[in-house]
Amino acid sequence: MTTAQYGAITVEPFGDSAVMVTIPHADQAIRRAATVAFRDRFLAHRPHGVLDVVSGLESLLIEFDPLRTALEHVEYAARLVARWAPAPSDRTDGGRAVRTFAIPVVFDHDNGPDLASVAEELGLAPSGVVEAIAESTFTVALLGAAMAPMMDGLKVPGPVRRRAEPRTDVAPGAVMIAGTNAIIQPFPGPTGWRVVGRTPHTIVDISRPDPAAFGTGDIVRFVPVTRDEAEALNAGFPLPTGEGA
Amino acid sequence: MKTVALEITGTGWITTFQDLGRTDTERRGVPTGGAADQHSATVANLLVGNARSATLIENLGGELAFVPDADVLVAVTGAPARVTVAGGPVEAWSPLVVPAGHEVRVRGDMTRGARVYLAVNGRMAARTLLGSAAPDARMGFGQNLAPGSRVLLETGFGGFGRGRFEPPLFRLPVPVPRFDDGPWVIDVVASHGGHAIPGIREVVEESAYVVTPRSNHVGLRLDGPVRHPDTDTEIVSHGVPIGALQIPHADELIVLGRYRSLTAGYPIVGVAARASLPMLGQAGPGRELRFRWIDRESSLRQFARRAAEVRTLGQAAAEAFGALGFEEPLSHTK
């Protein structure tokens, strides 16, 4: 990703102490990738007074302390970063290295109640959907609600729709897909994503100083296992299989 | 320093450890959270010589009661409340010496505000998640207190050797908010989402909205007139500031709170001014709200004035406690 691919950014005020940054581009995939790239650069060159940065799929909310900085300074800094900051793939920011994970997943009807309907929607057999997921290489784009890793990279014949009626209580560890994305449910709760499997790992453990197993940019592959194999793993907090992309 | 135990003898509907919330965790999917009324929480801590962000107790509804096993310095802030020590009424929004073995009872007036805050001089022992004691129910981090809980406190407070009926030791410039009976006026800064809904600005300004019992820490859900955009735009989730006024598909207005997550792309017509956020944190079911549009500059001037008042209190409290040779926790005061 280079700056030349997106160039200008749009910065809009959002209330009295935040701005919303978007990257106009006709191609959705480029918009999304550029948003991730911009976020990483901006965090690596975080201006004084910036409190937090919230990633959306195609936008970035920058929250600042209005007593320590002003909207104009934040906007100026954002434009400078978009234009001049080095690409994040250079990892000159001292940020953590990209790690790779192989995550065991049980894909069956009990653990993946939406597997059959996804298969029907895509014109595949359920085993074909599992195969497609297992052959995809995912990149963690952002941590969503409660540190749920939201990943890009699902290679299926077409984008997967969300559920019309969200499920109200999905178990932790549920592996879910929608569009060309995948996500893992960290805690019990509702979701509109399609539930296709479940990993025995605990992907967010609040007793750890750093509770989330995954960080943005990490590479994830899903490895189909049987229910017995999953139980035998005695899986806890997942550890990476390697570092460096 | 010594360790003091507070025996919790009564709790409200929801009684938790609390602080000002998490910093720099939203980009990792964890909302800042923290005290719904940040002003009252900050002032409570300053009144007992603590750092603003020190752990304290937040109580919603019912009655909070506790007995300390040594003399402690406490302050109660937030909604108007009846506060008693061993049955005798005492002042809220003021430092208060509670002798060992005396029970403190705090009953907030729910018709005038939802939450009360109890700060105690010293460092409360509480679990933390990502650096903060603030609860996060979604992540299974409840932080609830129940009758029988013992809250441990490291404190350097040794008492002032004064009786309960002597006049206050010092008068501090305490910025106490107004908790009016009538509708509360919330200032709002317009945002771009309003343009997609013709006439929404007038509707929001002219209507009365009532907080419903469906409200929670994620957002206040208000009954009152709204309008919807003519076209269905593509839903792309994005981050939203605290205080965002959101119009979902149903006929209601939602004011997002400190535990909001990404929004599903519903139109956001404005964002409550920073200086109005503490009152939103106090708005309980049945509370009538009115909205007034203000520009960003006015909003920031208002917030700067409020911040200056709190700073003045912090300085006055630091001087007063310092003059009493009572400075251990003050070294943490920001």
Side-chain angles (χ1 to χ4, degrees):
Chain A
M1 181 64 52
T2 68
T3 42
Q5 277 182 277
Y6 60 91
I9 59 171
T10 307
V11 184
E12 280 177 288
F14 206 171
D16 58 19
S17 41
V19 295
M20 184 81 125
V21 175
T22 47
I23 296 171
H25 196 286
D27 183 334
Q28 186 193 61
I30 291 181
R31 282 199 307 272
R32 293 186 174 191
T35 304
V36 172
F38 173 77
R39 177 196 62 203
D40 290 354
R41 292 168 199 220
F42 188 77
L43 284 170
H45 300 273
R46 178 197 291 239
H48 174 77
V50 167
L51 297 176
D52 213 337
V53 169
V54 187
S55 301
L57 271 179
E58 297 185 15
S59 64
L60 214 60
L61 179 77
I62 300 174
E63 301 178 294
F64 57 88
D65 178 349
L67 300 179
R68 287 164 63 207
T69 187
L71 185 141
E72 291 75 10
H73 296 303
V74 175
E75 176 174 356
Y76 183 62
R79 292 192 192 286
L80 282 182
V81 165
R83 181 104 197 247
W84 299 110
S89 56
D90 300 346
R91 289 283 157 186
T92 51
D93 55 3
R96 45 179 287 285
V98 167
R99 298 170 304 172
T100 55
F101 290 86
I103 297 296
V105 179
V106 180
F107 292 98
D108 62 14
H109 178 74
D110 287 348
N111 291 291
D114 290 323
L115 200 51
S117 67
V118 169
E120 196 176 328
E121 181 184 323
L122 295 173
L124 297 171
S127 61
V129 176
V130 174
E131 219 166 275
I133 294 171
E135 281 168 10
S136 302
T137 300
F138 294 93
T139 307
V140 177
L142 59 90
L143 295 185
M147 307 186 119
M150 220 279 286
M151 311 170 209
D152 292 327
L154 176 64
K155 294 274 189 301
V156 282
V160 176
R161 284 197 295 269
R162 287 187 176 231
R163 283 180 62 84
E165 186 82 13
R167 291 181 185 280
T168 53
D169 199 11
V170 172
V175 173
M176 310 181 291
I177 58 176
T180 53
N181 301 113
I183 197 164
I184 307 175
Q185 180 91 342
F187 298 96
T191 183
W193 292 63
R194 309 282 284 279
V195 182
V196 294
R198 188 174 178 195
T199 175
H201 280 297
T202 300
I203 59 150
V204 177
D205 177 354
I206 64 168
S207 69
R208 299 172 70 94
D210 189 354
F214 306 102
T216 53
D218 284 349
I219 309 288
V220 178
R221 300 199 60 143
F222 291 117
V223 182
V225 293
T226 65
R227 188 180 289 235
D228 291 344
E229 285 168 336
E231 263 171 39
L233 281 172
N234 204 5
F237 195 70
L239 298 173
T241 53
E243 283 202 357
Chain B
M1 288 299 235
K2 62 181 174 191
T3 304
V4 176
L6 311 178
E7 191 196 339
I8 306 293
T9 50
T11 51
W13 303 340
I14 305 174
T15 305
T16 64
F17 286 115
Q18 191 57 279
D19 60 22
L20 297 183
R22 298 182 171 77
T23 51
D24 209 23
T25 60
E26 301 208 327
R27 66 196 168 85
R28 304 180 68 206
V30 182
T32 171
D37 174 356
Q38 298 260 302
H39 176 76
S40 292
T42 301
V43 169
N45 270 322
L46 293 178
L47 287 174
V48 296
N50 283 350
R52 295 168 176 228
S53 56
T55 302
L56 76 174
I57 293 172
E58 182 183 82
N59 185 69
L60 183 142
E63 187 175 74
L64 169 67
F66 69 94
V67 180
D69 70 358
D71 291 5
V72 287
L73 181 68
V74 309
V76 174
T77 64
R82 177 180 151 78
V83 187
T84 59
V85 176
V90 293
E91 293 278 301
W93 295 89
S94 173
L96 186 69
V97 178
V98 177
H102 288 48
E103 186 176 54
V104 179
R105 290 180 169 272
V106 181
R107 180 177 286 276
D109 179 354
M110 276 298 276
T111 63
R112 295 177 64 201
R115 294 172 172 89
V116 294
Y117 293 87
L118 168 77
V120 187
N121 170 269
R123 194 181 291 268
M124 270 184 201
R127 288 198 304 151
T128 59
L129 170 63
L130 295 167
S132 161
D136 191 310
R138 191 170 195 166
M139 294 185 73
F141 192 65
Q143 295 293 74
N144 293 91
L145 292 167
S149 303
R150 275 164 66 86
V151 174
L152 297 180
L153 186 78
E154 286 290 314
T155 179
F157 180 70
F160 295 135
R162 292 174 69 84
R164 211 157 41 77
F165 301 105
E166 290 177 66
L169 275 172
F170 28 69
R171 297 207 176 274
L172 294 169
V174 186
V176 183
R178 287 170 48 193
F179 288 87
D180 295 337
D181 287 330
W184 289 352
V185 177
I186 303 297
D187 291 320
V188 181
V189 178
S191 73
H192 50 277
H195 305 319
I197 311 174
I200 189 65
R201 204 183 152 91
E202 290 73 19
V203 170
V204 166
E205 186 164 56
E206 288 158 14
S207 310
Y209 294 88
V210 178
V211 178
T212 71
R214 300 190 304 279
S215 303
N216 59 21
H217 54 304
V218 174
L220 294 176
R221 306 180 76 143
L222 311 180
D223 270 345
V226 291
R227 291 189 183 186
H228 298 280
D230 295 335
T231 52
D232 276 345
T233 47
E234 192 199 356
I235 290 187
V236 181
S237 45
H238 62 83
V240 275
I242 296 162
L245 266 65
Q246 183 181 58
I247 301 181
H249 289 323
D251 278 344
E252 64 177 344
L253 190 63
I254 296 180
V255 189
L256 293 171
R258 300 186 63 82
Y259 284 89
R260 86 255 179 259
S261 50
L262 297 183
T263 176
Y266 298 121
I268 308 280
V269 296
V271 182
R274 274 182 98 95
S276 286
L277 297 180
M279 292 317 280
L280 288 169
Q282 287 290 0
R287 164 64 50 196
E288 188 179 329
L289 300 178
R290 294 264 179 172
F291 295 101
R292 179 171 65 191
W293 299 102
I294 61 170
D295 60 35
R296 202 159 44 82
E297 287 71 23
S298 314
S299 174
L300 290 175
R301 272 198 301 278
Q302 210 181 57
F303 179 62
R305 272 199 302 277
R306 171 69 68 85
E309 287 171 1
V310 174
R311 215 160 40 237
T312 302
L313 168 66
Q315 283 157 0
E319 278 175 25
F321 290 131
L324 291 163
F326 170 59
E327 58 191 345
E328 192 60 46
L330 295 174
S331 56
H332 308 297
T333 304
K334 279 186 251 178

